[in-house]
Amino acid sequence: MTTAPPVVFIPVYEFTAKQNAIVRHLASRMRAVGTGLIVITALLVLRAVLGSVEFGTLIWIGAAVLGCIGFWSVRAGIELQRVVRTEGTDIPYLMRALTEIRKLYDLQYWVLVALALLAAFTVLVAIAGRGLPAAW
């Protein structure tokens, strides 16, 4: 015998017209920036596939990061747009948007951690008197 999951009550909250205008503007900008990043990623990959530029591993990683940032920005913008377009579901759509934004910032956080570690490694190698690694 299975029991039904507990019912979660989410109070209905509707943003004011002024608040909706702010959310609408943010949603529009997030979708535009995200779409632009996806287009740039596609152009980088297309250029690499056509062989018109030598692509190293770092460029592929950069393209993947840009693509993810663009994708999650578009998704967050879509969820924010739903906040404005619907009634009675502002909080669930807002939480979905925040989930996408969290993914976007988690990725950027770890990219910065990786870059800081790489910079620290480079400094340590230079201090040890071995010069910069050949990749630099």
Side-chain angles (χ1 to χ4, degrees):
M1 175 183 216
T2 59
T3 58
V7 176
V8 177
F9 176 71
I10 299 175
V12 175
Y13 179 83
E14 285 300 316
F15 290 108
T16 66
K18 188 175 181 178
Q19 292 167 333
N20 274 336
I22 292 168
V23 172
R24 183 181 303 110
H25 182 80
L26 177 60
S28 172
R29 291 296 189 260
M30 290 186 81
R31 288 186 2 258
V33 168
T35 300
L37 290 173
I38 290 169
V39 167
I40 290 169
T41 300
L43 291 173
L44 286 171
V45 170
L46 180 64
R47 192 167 180 197
V49 169
L50 295 177
S52 59
V53 68
E54 172 129 0
F55 257 51
T57 303
L58 288 178
I59 300 297
W60 282 107
I61 292 170
V65 168
L66 277 180
C68 288
I69 291 171
F71 177 74
W72 288 324
S73 293
V74 169
R75 285 184 51 163
I78 289 169
E79 295 300 333
L80 286 174
Q81 190 175 39
R82 289 178 178 155
V83 169
V84 176
R85 290 186 176 172
T86 61
E87 288 186 20
T89 55
D90 284 359
I91 300 301
Y93 285 132
L94 181 60
M95 291 311 299
R96 289 181 190 168
L98 290 174
T99 298
E100 297 303 319
I101 293 168
R102 188 200 71 218
K103 292 176 189 176
L104 186 142
Y105 279 91
D106 280 347
L107 173 66
Q108 291 178 75
Y109 172 84
W110 288 112
V111 166
L112 286 175
V113 167
L115 290 173
L117 290 173
L118 185 60
F121 171 75
T122 303
V123 168
L124 289 175
V125 168
I127 290 172
R130 297 186 179 163
L132 292 175
W136 296 97

